[in-house]
Amino acid sequence: MPKHKTAEQWLQLIEQQELSGLSVTDFCTQHNLSTKSFYNRRSKLRTKKPPESSFIAAKPAASESVSLPELLQLKHGQNTVLLPSNTDALWLAALLRALS
């Protein structure tokens, strides 16, 4: 490897060391690396990594399309009132109280 290594090359070396089972000192000796540089790069690159999370991404279930009637029909005694299906619930409650 060239004298100046890229971040990607350092990440590969760090991963190789972890998988090798060798101590950092032995690994660095075998790969002609300074242990000081190895520890320094490992520390810097680990702080750049996003923290691993135990959360998983949740995706909402496919919603089933519920078709609302276009009009609400309210019957009170002999009277019938037709309202749009998107009528405000608070307004509708007030109307029902007034009709009671």
Side-chain angles (χ1 to χ4, degrees), residues 35-51:
T35 54
K36 182 178 176 181
S37 296
F38 185 89
Y39 282 118
N40 185 26
R41 286 297 184 146
R42 186 174 73 175
S43 174
K44 286 182 181 180
L45 291 171
R46 281 188 176 168
T47 58
K48 287 183 182 179
K49 280 186 179 179

Side-chain angles (χ1 to χ4, degrees), residues 13-24 27 30-31:
L13 285 167
I14 292 164
E15 186 177 345
Q16 286 175 10
Q17 185 277 323
E18 290 171 351
L19 295 173
S20 73
L22 296 172
S23 67
V24 171
F27 182 83
Q30 285 185 6
H31 291 85

Side-chain angles (χ1 to χ4, degrees), residues 2 6-9 29 33-35 37-38 50 52 59 61 63-64 67 69-71 74 77 81-82 84 90:
T6 65
E8 183 61 36
Q9 289 171 324
T29 301
L33 300 170
S34 159
T35 54
S37 296
F38 185 89
E52 290 187 24
K59 294 180 182 176
S63 61
E64 293 181 21
S67 61
E70 291 183 31
L71 293 174
L74 298 176
V81 178
L82 295 174
L90 294 175

